[in-house]
């Protein structure tokens, strides 16, 4: 299995604190040593850092921890391989372009018989993972349904939720998906989220000896939502998502949610 | 204008030496301070490092200089903006997926009336540069001509050369394009290349006080081609490409070349 991390914020915010915790699970406090990746949106653009090496030992992960890239949407993944070899083309997040936007996708779980059950035509996988294959199938379905024009977010992501539950039938499908504006999460069996806003307090990482007082790092207007496979802090109250639940965030706030 | 750099090699090779020279032109020995990016292929996968900051002052560029990523194909770009604001979505290289491969593209030059003359339908630009627009048009033409199956490299890139000369009519179009297997270069007005193989000698960067003896860094079987806007070393003989010339390299060696 793998671990997922994502952020949606109403002001460009760095994710150094959360990432510092998560990266320890890539070979140190956790077994997810088969590569990692993180994608930061800045406007319509995005940039990724990826490494097939364990995040706990990666020079690139160290840079990401120390170099505060401010972003309104972030998706991160650390991998424990189950489908597909440990190599760069199998390292999440996967990014593809549609409707003049970058679409970023990360998956935790495992899917059986995905090639037969999720035929792809327009978007062809590059690597050999179940995850990328399901992403290509998802994009194919979106393009088939909505054609050349991106629909409004709630219509779009409600359909993504339906597609997610179809994929979920094949195994375990915890999903993070973003187009830079919205952050969508579908829970198969394991996802937690928290929204931080004023009054801000303190938080302590579970995986590293790091404590932060968000009051000193933020303004009263900031709203920041973090989604993770497992809670990253020990002194905050994270919402546990249930199987089949989905959440849509935009600029840190919940835009819609439901059960698929 | 901008500066381009690319590498094709028959063994995974790091580009730290050449990149050390080029990055100095991003705000130090050269005026190309409007961002930079580099894409490394490793197998079918690739990873990019991008920054809208000047490369000469970028912490990420420093990491790339010090962290030897071994690759068989690399494309790099440092930007001096003329079309499109300085932001991440306008930062080269641009990457898109087609035929189950990652296609990486970087452009040096300027194109007039590109939106009218290069209509796009299947691949929609994300940023506002002439460069990304021309890339989308190029992919549209390839998909229209070859459908769902990638042709053999020589057929494919001969057609890319024809398309490049069509784009070149709109201004200046120095192009680097790779699918990980092949590296294609089209010269509008400014490109140089060099193939290094045994017996290897010494080389000294023009832009930084760095000297290397490739004999100590390589084996006798290594073949490495480097393409750059301007030669990066002062004591080697670079081939200057002429206007309309194209070169196709695979695993460091020339596969085809011509005049479009």
């Amino acid at each position: 299995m793998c671990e997922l991390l994502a952020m949606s914020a109403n002001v460009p915010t760095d994710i150094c604190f959360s990432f510092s915790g998560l990266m320890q699970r890539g070979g140190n406090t956790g077994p997810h040593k088969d590569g990692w990746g993180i994608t930061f949106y800045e406007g319509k653009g995005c940039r990724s850092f990826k490494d097939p090496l364990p995040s706990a030992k990666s020079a690139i992960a160290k840079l990401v921890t120390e170099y505060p890239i401010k972003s309104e949407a972030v998706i991160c993944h650390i991998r424990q391989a189950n489908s597909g070899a440990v190599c760069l083309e199998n390292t999440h997040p996967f990014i593809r372009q549609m409707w003049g936007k970058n679409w970023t996708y990360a998956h935790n779980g495992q899917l059986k018989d995905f090639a037969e059950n999720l035929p792809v035509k327009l978007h062809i996988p590059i690597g050999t993972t179940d995850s990328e294959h399901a992403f290509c199938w998802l994009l194919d379905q979106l393009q088939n349904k909505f054609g050349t024009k991106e629909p409004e977010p709630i219509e779009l992501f409600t359909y993504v939720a339906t597609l997610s539950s179809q994929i979920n039938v094949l195994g375990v499908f915890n999903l993070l998906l973003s187009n830079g504006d919205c952050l969508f999460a579908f829970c198969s069996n394991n996802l937690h989220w928290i929204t931080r806003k004023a009054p801000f307090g303190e938080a302590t990482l579970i995986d590293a000896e790091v404590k932060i007082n968000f009051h000193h790092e933020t303004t009263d207007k900031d709203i920041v939502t973090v989604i993770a496979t497992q809670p990253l802090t020990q002194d905050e109250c994270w919402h546990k998502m249930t199987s089949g639940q989905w959440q849509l965030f935009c600029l840190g706030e919940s835009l819609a949610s439901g059960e698929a």
Side-chain angles (χ1 to χ4, degrees), chain A:
Chain A
M1 300 288 275
C2 311
E3 292 223 16
L4 300 172
L5 169 65
M7 188 191 77
S8 168
N10 67 341
V11 286
T13 303
D14 78 67
I15 199 171
C16 292
F17 175 71
S18 297
F19 184 75
S20 300
L22 187 78
M23 71 175 279
Q24 296 303 323
R25 297 184 186 173
N28 191 3
T29 61
H32 313 88
K33 60 171 177 36
D34 299 322
W36 63 279
I38 187 166
T39 300
F40 298 88
Y41 282 90
E42 290 158 73
K44 294 182 78 180
C46 65
R47 53 178 154 177
S48 301
F49 297 85
K50 281 187 174 192
D51 210 339
L53 296 176
S55 57
K57 291 171 189 166
S58 162
I60 304 172
K62 189 163 177 286
L63 175 88
V64 173
T65 313
E66 293 168 357
Y67 186 68
I69 294 176
K70 305 259 182 185
S71 176
E72 289 168 355
V74 177
I75 286 184
C76 174
H77 181 275
I78 57 174
R79 181 163 185 236
Q80 189 179 11
N82 50 43
S83 159
V86 177
C87 56
L88 200 54
E89 67 261 34
N90 289 341
T91 305
H92 306 228
F94 300 103
I95 302 179
R96 301 240 171 180
Q97 294 74 31
M98 198 165 66
W99 300 322
K101 289 186 180 169
N102 286 301
W103 294 79
T104 301
Y105 164 108
H107 163 224
N108 154 328
Q110 199 162 1
L111 305 171
K112 272 188 198 168
D113 305 324
F114 57 89
E116 303 88 294
N117 286 292
L118 306 171
V120 293
K121 198 178 157 192
L122 303 170
H123 298 85
I124 307 301
I126 291 171
T128 54
T129 60
D130 50 356
S131 305
E132 189 198 11
H133 193 101
F135 181 33
C136 290
W137 180 83
L138 197 76
L139 293 177
D140 271 15
Q141 309 313 305
L142 295 178
Q143 201 159 323
N144 286 340
K145 186 172 174 81
F146 298 114
T148 57
K149 198 172 170 338
E150 184 178 352
E152 289 303 305
I154 292 180
E155 182 185 0
L156 171 66
F157 286 102
T158 303
Y159 186 56
V160 172
T162 305
L163 297 171
S164 300
S165 67
Q166 285 177 246
I167 299 171
N168 194 40
V169 170
L170 304 179
V172 176
F173 189 67
N174 298 294
L175 165 69
L176 296 175
L177 181 69
S178 180
N179 59 7
D181 301 322
C182 294
L183 173 64
F184 174 87
F186 178 86
C187 176
S188 176
N189 66 350
N190 227 344
L191 269 183
H192 295 76
W193 62 274
I194 187 169
T195 298
R196 298 184 181 122
K197 52 186 170 182
F200 288 99
E202 285 188 342
T204 311
L205 287 180
I206 293 171
D207 299 84
E209 285 186 18
V210 179
K211 194 176 205 164
I212 197 169
N213 188 333
F214 289 114
H215 180 66
H216 298 149
E217 312 285 333
T218 52
T219 74
D220 278 358
K221 290 179 182 162
D222 295 7
I223 302 173
V224 182
T225 292
V226 175
I227 309 174
T229 299
Q230 291 297 329
L232 291 164
T233 55
Q234 56 187 237
D235 38 15
E236 295 181 299
C237 185
W238 292 66
H239 302 269
K240 182 175 170 52
M241 292 175 72
T242 56
S243 184
Q245 247 186 14
W246 57 273
Q247 291 279 350
L248 179 63
F249 297 97
C250 181
L251 297 172
E253 296 196 84
S254 177
L255 198 66
S257 63
E259 305 264 347

